[in-house]
Amino acid sequence: MKVAINNGEIVFIKSVKDGIPNRDPLQDSDARRLFPEEDGRISLSDVSIKRDVRDYVLSAETNGGTSKKNFIFVQEKVNEKGKLLGRGSLAESIAEQVGKKQEAKTDMKSILVEHCFDVRTFGIVYSVKPKFNLTGPVQFGWAHSLHPVDSQYIQGTVVMPSSDVKDDGGEGKTQGTIWTSYIVPFAVFAMSGVINAKIAEQTKMTKDDQELLLKALWQGTQYRQARGRGQQQPLFLLHVEYNNPFFRIGYLEDLIELVPGEEVWRNGGKRPSSVKDITLNVSPLLEKLNEYKDKIANVRIWVHPSVAVDGNIEIYKQPLW
């Protein structure tokens, strides 16, 4: 029997060093800036963080996992000719792998809901006839840095030339290629998320899905690494479950303060350069949780040992995966 999940909230804090996890193509692949220039903060899209989750599940739950329930629908997959598969082809591939190719012709929705982790959690827009869509019970907000961030424009070279000697009439190049890029030396981001229990009933999201989601947020951040994305590290993860499917406190991320405070980062012109430079003050958050304890079913917190935390979280602290 599948256990229904509770209404919930998530706060996820991670750091990045020497890279930009989510670039803005409209700004020459610099960091995304949703706030005014004088504010100084940078942001990561919810799509980027969902990609971290999906890529982790895709690798950790190969071929849908042992239960064949954890396929990933939204993914980059090519055919034998190197062409990207669209929604229809991806869905048909999953249906074939679970032995429901014939059933898929009349009820693709049920197959994708039953066998795709990201459909049950994040929802789906299926634009292939017969069309359907499901709103996801899990919704992430944008992740914003907890301090002003200065991105730097850098340049370098690679030993290989931009073209091969055989393509240049035998003349070839005498030097390698010059590259340029924007980079962020260090930044700490906070992201909020919600889990809607009523919508979860519609998508059939389960407790197992919820636990895999939390694990994927943490380990997916460590898993999805690339030079341009920098070295990412999960620092703090909060999951609050409520008794009432129509209640949540809201904006819990605003109750976590970075120490030193805003006056140092903004007015002093100083920037943190590593996790050792900061402390997460969660005391206001803990006070708010205690204020609403009668409405709360469960609170769990995961914290990386490298980050200092101000506030007694021991009763909520969980072992890392």
Side-chain angles (χ1 to χ4, degrees):
M1 179 179 175
K2 295 179 179 178
V3 181
I5 65 174
N6 294 318
N7 233 36
E9 286 191 82
I10 294 169
V11 176
F12 182 49
I13 297 176
K14 69 176 182 176
S15 63
V16 63
K17 201 171 189 178
D18 301 332
I20 300 177
N22 186 215
R23 297 173 182 270
D24 189 346
L26 299 178
Q27 299 296 331
D28 296 324
S29 293
D30 195 359
R32 294 182 182 270
R33 295 188 181 273
L34 301 188
F35 300 97
E37 185 176 350
E38 60 271 17
D39 181 277
R41 287 178 292 168
I42 64 175
S43 304
L44 309 175
S45 74
D46 59 319
V47 175
S48 170
I49 297 174
K50 286 179 181 178
R51 174 74 182 273
D52 290 345
V53 170
R54 285 188 170 105
D55 281 5
Y56 169 79
V57 174
L58 193 62
S59 293
E61 298 285 311
T62 308
N63 297 322
T66 54
S67 65
K68 297 295 182 183
K69 301 291 186 184
N70 292 325
F71 284 91
I72 294 296
F73 174 65
V74 178
Q75 61 169 291
E76 186 178 298
K77 190 174 184 179
V78 298
N79 62 16
E80 63 278 0
K81 296 181 179 180
K83 303 297 182 181
L84 285 170
L85 299 184
R87 289 176 173 84
S89 296
L90 287 166
E92 289 169 6
S93 173
I94 292 168
E96 186 173 2
Q97 290 181 72
V98 298
K100 297 182 179 180
K101 192 173 181 179
Q102 284 301 119
E103 184 181 337
K105 294 178 180 180
T106 57
D107 193 8
M108 184 64 83
K109 179 179 178 180
S110 294
I111 293 171
L112 295 181
V113 166
E114 181 179 355
H115 295 282
C116 295
F117 166 81
D118 59 337
V119 171
R120 294 191 300 273
T121 53
F122 300 139
I124 183 175
V125 175
Y126 193 72
S127 54
V128 181
K129 292 184 179 179
K131 301 178 181 179
F132 64 90
N133 69 280
L134 287 170
T135 299
V138 178
Q139 297 294 331
F140 294 154
W142 281 60
H144 304 299
S145 64
L146 294 174
H147 54 89
V149 177
D150 299 323
S151 58
Q152 305 295 326
Y153 189 66
I154 60 173
Q155 187 179 75
T157 60
V158 294
V159 295
M160 288 191 295
S162 57
S163 59
D164 203 329
V165 62
K166 66 181 181 181
D167 299 322
D168 293 333
E171 294 184 7
K173 303 288 185 180
T174 59
Q175 64 182 32
T177 305
I178 296 175
W179 58 265
T180 58
S181 179
Y182 284 97
I183 191 172
V184 166
F186 181 77
V188 180
F189 298 91
M191 179 210 77
S192 64
V194 298
I195 301 177
N196 188 306
K198 288 298 181 181
I199 296 178
E201 292 176 3
Q202 300 170 23
T203 67
K204 297 180 171 56
M205 179 182 174
T206 66
K207 281 277 189 182
D208 287 342
D209 292 332
Q210 174 184 275
E211 297 310 298
L212 181 56
L213 171 73
L214 296 169
K215 183 178 181 180
L217 268 173
W218 193 272
Q219 294 197 332
T221 299
Q222 297 174 313
Y223 170 76
R224 191 175 166 226
Q225 301 285 357
R227 179 184 171 279
R229 292 174 57 80
Q231 302 175 49
Q232 296 188 84
Q233 187 71 271
L235 300 178
F236 181 93
L237 176 60
L238 166 74
H239 179 222
V240 181
E241 297 178 79
Y242 299 105
N243 298 316
N244 188 334
F246 299 102
F247 174 83
R248 67 172 179 262
I249 298 172
Y251 300 130
L252 295 179
E253 72 280 10
D254 292 340
L255 299 174
I256 299 177
E257 302 170 351
L258 198 67
V259 180
E262 182 178 352
E263 67 283 353
V264 172
W265 310 126
R266 197 175 303 284
N267 301 330
K270 184 180 172 67
R271 302 287 186 262
S273 59
S274 75
V275 177
K276 293 186 295 183
D277 294 340
I278 59 117
T279 296
L280 297 177
N281 179 16
V282 299
S283 294
L285 169 67
L286 298 176
E287 291 173 8
K288 183 64 68 173
L289 294 177
N290 185 61
E291 179 183 343
Y292 286 96
K293 61 184 178 182
D294 292 341
K295 295 181 179 295
I296 293 174
N298 193 28
V299 176
R300 291 181 292 169
I301 292 175
W302 295 262
V303 61
H304 195 276
S306 67
V307 66
V309 176
D310 187 3
N312 186 7
I313 61 172
E314 289 305 313
I315 61 172
Y316 305 129
K317 197 171 179 181
Q318 306 293 311
L320 298 181
W321 292 276

